[in-house]
Amino acid sequence: MPAIRALADECFEVFKTLINLLLIMKKDKPEVKIMVLDILKPHKPNIIDFGKEIKSLTGVKNVELVVTDVDDQTEKVQVIIEGKNLKFERIKNKIEHSGATVHSLDEAVIN
């Protein structure tokens, strides 16, 4: 019985060490907090509905949209996305699914 207890204690110590290592790794991993994108989109959906689509993504906390240019079929929009651990490819896919195109990633804040 003492051998089983000693083995259980040893397993518990190994488990605690692994948890601490995982926490350290997660803490030190850089993540994207802010992205500024230049988007070309059709007039529909409007920027409110377009912004709500982006906001629906995991990790996105705030979306700010500013129309910077308009022609007869499209509008150029600056999109500022704030959140935790933002994923560019996921955001780009959502934007493209809405009928828009990402022209450029103009700024990023990484913590």
Side-chain angles (χ1 to χ4, degrees):
M1 197 68 156
I4 293 174
R5 177 66 182 176
L7 182 59
D9 288 344
E10 187 176 329
C11 287
F12 181 70
E13 289 303 317
V14 169
F15 177 74
K16 283 190 338 188
T17 302
L18 288 173
I19 293 296
N20 286 332
L21 286 172
L22 287 172
L23 291 173
I24 289 168
M25 288 171 56
K26 183 174 172 73
K27 185 178 181 182
D28 292 339
K29 187 175 179 182
E31 61 181 48
V32 179
K33 302 272 188 180
I34 299 172
M35 283 187 208
V36 180
L37 306 173
D38 181 35
I39 307 294
L40 185 67
K41 63 175 270 326
H43 293 299
K44 293 190 182 196
N46 63 45
I47 62 169
I48 293 171
D49 293 336
F50 185 72
K52 286 178 180 179
E53 283 294 313
I54 297 169
K55 174 73 172 76
S56 72
L57 290 168
T58 302
V60 175
K61 301 292 181 208
N62 296 308
V63 179
E64 181 180 335
L65 301 103
V66 178
V67 176
T68 58
D69 195 17
V70 177
D71 68 20
D72 59 330
Q73 295 181 6
T74 61
E75 48 197 32
K76 187 175 174 184
V77 181
Q78 181 186 55
V79 182
I80 302 168
I81 304 166
E82 297 179 55
K84 184 174 181 177
N85 201 21
L86 299 173
K87 304 291 186 193
F88 176 73
E89 284 302 318
R90 210 178 299 156
I91 292 168
K92 182 180 175 213
N93 289 340
K94 179 64 90 172
I95 288 168
E96 290 174 349
H97 182 73
S98 297
T101 303
V102 176
H103 274 198
S104 61
L105 171 60
D106 297 333
E107 187 177 335
V109 176
I110 301 164
N111 254 354

